[in-house]
Amino acid sequence: MTAVRPESGSRPGAAPGASPSVSSSESATGFPTGFLWGAATASYQVEGAATEHGRTPSIWDTFSHTPGKVRNGDTGDIAADHYHRYREDVALMKELGLGAYRFSVSWSRVQPTGRGPAVERGLDFYRRLVDSLLEAGITPVATLYHWDLPQELEDAGGWPLRDTAERFADYAALVAGALGDRVPMWTTLNEPWCSAFLGYGSGVHAPGRTDAAATLRAAHHLNLAHGKGVQVLRGLLPADAQTSITLNLHQVRPLTTSAGDADAARRIDEVGNRVFTGPLLDGGYPEDLVRRTTPLVDWEELVRPGDLETIATPFDVLGVNYYTPTIVSASDGAGDSRDDGHGASDHSPWTGSEDVAFHLAPGERTAMNWAVDASGLHTLLTELHAAHPGLPLMVTENGAAFDDYVSPEGRVEDPERIAYLHSHLEAVRQAVADGADVRGYFLWSLLDNFEWSYGYAKRFGAVYVDYASQRRIPKASAHWYAEVIRRGGLPG
């Protein structure tokens, strides 16, 4: 059994016989007819109710309660209180005209130890949420895993342990059995790169480990969990249900045209992108990545017979998350920049390419200090289409954090976010014009929320949340996006 990617040949990701819910024909706005306009959240970032109805700690509960891990000591204990206020939030979604809501399920709420039967009261929350969405005419899009592994599974070894992939498959069956008759679109994993490389490499995300070998083992087992999850979903869901995975693909650019910078970009593409797209879409892991990291892991032991076939189980849509490009260069040997946009750490998440230098792009920046550059989204979508022309795409996260505040008149004006969204939606429209099969767009995020290691210091929401009162105030960008949805495209 070889772990590496074949030199030629690829397979489209769409499942044979799949019936996409969105037509690829374009409307007068330049977006496909039936294009899905939505917004997204994640369970630990918005739900709160951290100890209610049987929920036990996830790795993010543990991480956020560890002094020094999250800015200001913030936790997701209450967050945006979506668990109790979901009806109010669904009413807001309906008011904005959302066609879809992408939410994630808290594994610890459904299966507290990561093993055994489901807690019905945990599933009941998602049943109520889905029913409310359907009553409002909003398509529910469920993500099974958005980084909140049950702490007991981490204590047993976490994602570097192969058994965690088996536990994920069991968990997927529980959720699909409860919601499969009402949820038409399913995502296995959100941004597994962050789970593996930020969680186990740089340690800036939960569980906060800094073990280069563990990153690669975690990445493989996340890939395996996805494949097993799709197989479980296919066995339980209606034939017309769609399956997907969401990747935060890095749009990697060399700083200069030098051969050294081009090589640096290739290496970061391998460890940032093709560690997932290789086995998912091309049949194996990149040969150079395997060669560089063999001193860290025994790939022949890690990738067992049948693994690559499981990982490559056909799925229907590839979710693409994009915020900003990644600019790299060869190391100059002294004073290399480590500002990769993923948080400060003495440990690199770029396993096998720790010596590559990262650079900030010029121009306007968001509150995250990320460059505003919509061309990267266009490039990602068109290059994915060129490499995998049979693979439908969906932008599952795109948005920006700015320093929002409520005016004395009670409004939240955020023209920078409107400009950001406009330019990125124009990039999507242009990618469609250039042939990319893009089926939808999900704004990140519906609500201001717990922004991981930044706590509540960064606001990505289209809806402002006053955390003290939990009052919701739609920002100017929310009203702008509602008009985009109403028109089915950008203003003229």
Side-chain angles (χ1 to χ4, degrees), residues 6-64:
E7 289 304 312
S8 62
S10 62
R11 47 164 288 282
S19 302
S21 61
V22 179
S23 168
S24 61
S25 62
E26 290 185 32
S27 71
T29 66
F31 289 88
T33 302
F35 191 82
L36 198 58
W37 298 97
T41 65
S43 53
Y44 189 72
Q45 292 184 273
V46 299
E47 284 182 6
T51 61
E52 290 189 36
H53 301 149
R55 185 185 181 279
T56 57
S58 74
I59 55 175
W60 268 100
D61 293 274
T62 301
F63 188 82
S64 66

Side-chain angles (χ1 to χ4, degrees), residues 112-297:
T113 66
R115 303 174 189 273
V119 172
E120 289 301 322
R121 293 190 73 178
L123 283 173
D124 283 345
F125 166 69
Y126 298 104
R127 291 185 178 106
R128 294 192 301 269
L129 173 62
V130 167
D131 288 346
S132 296
L133 291 167
L134 293 173
E135 290 167 7
I138 299 167
T139 299
V141 179
T143 297
L144 288 169
Y145 186 74
H146 198 131
W147 307 353
D148 46 358
L149 187 71
Q151 183 61 45
E152 287 200 26
L153 291 185
E154 172 59 25
D155 293 342
W159 285 112
L161 185 71
R162 186 181 183 89
D163 184 64
T164 305
E166 302 290 345
R167 303 285 68 75
F168 177 80
D170 293 344
Y171 158 67
L174 295 176
V175 182
L179 304 178
D181 61 334
R182 285 163 287 175
V183 176
M185 302 183 69
W186 292 77
T187 299
T188 53
L189 309 174
N190 180 82
E191 299 187 349
W193 186 87
C194 295
S195 296
F197 293 90
L198 301 183
Y200 293 94
S202 66
V204 299
H205 278 193
R209 290 162 61 179
T210 53
D211 179 344
T215 65
L216 300 169
R217 301 188 68 85
H220 178 63
H221 296 144
L222 283 155
N223 282 330
L224 189 61
H226 159 76
K228 289 179 176 291
V230 171
Q231 291 176 354
V232 165
L233 293 174
R234 282 270 164 249
L236 293 173
L237 299 179
D240 59 351
Q242 295 194 323
T243 59
S244 67
I245 185 171
T246 282
L247 304 178
N248 59 313
L249 296 172
H250 299 81
Q251 203 277 301
V252 186
R253 303 174 182 175
L255 181 65
T256 73
T257 58
S258 73
D261 288 2
D263 182 66
R266 178 187 60 80
R267 291 165 62 193
I268 294 304
D269 178 53
E270 287 176 350
V271 72
N273 297 331
R274 293 200 290 132
V275 68
F276 296 104
T277 61
L280 286 169
L281 300 171
D282 294 329
Y285 291 97
E287 183 175 358
D288 284 348
L289 177 65
V290 171
R291 176 183 53 78
R292 284 198 312 276
T293 57
T294 291
L296 294 172
V297 296

